[in-house]
Amino acid sequence: MDGVPALAEPDAEYQGIYRRFHHLIADAAGDVDARPLQLVADACLVGRWRTTDAFHW
């Protein structure tokens, strides 16, 4: 940022990501927020399809 590297090592970000993966696998854990998926699923359950005229740009 402003000409200064944000990370001292170019691969430090990826190393951190893979380190996190390693810990998750070793602990048989997960790191997922399913709430957005639940929101979409709920919307699909209560929504209705309605066919209308085609939209033309």
Side-chain angles (χ1 to χ4, degrees):
M1 294 172 30
D2 296 327
V4 178
L7 299 171
E9 300 177 36
D11 293 336
E13 183 176 4
Y14 289 108
Q15 291 173 7
I17 291 170
Y18 288 116
R19 190 176 307 112
R20 177 72 177 146
F21 288 162
H22 171 78
H23 291 297
L24 289 170
I25 292 168
D27 297 339
D31 193 6
V32 175
D33 181 3
R35 289 176 292 183
L37 298 173
Q38 185 64 52
L39 180 63
V40 172
D42 290 345
C44 289
L45 288 173
V46 299
R48 293 188 186 101
W49 285 99
R50 185 179 300 167
T51 303
T52 64
D53 296 333
F55 180 80
H56 298 285
W57 296 93

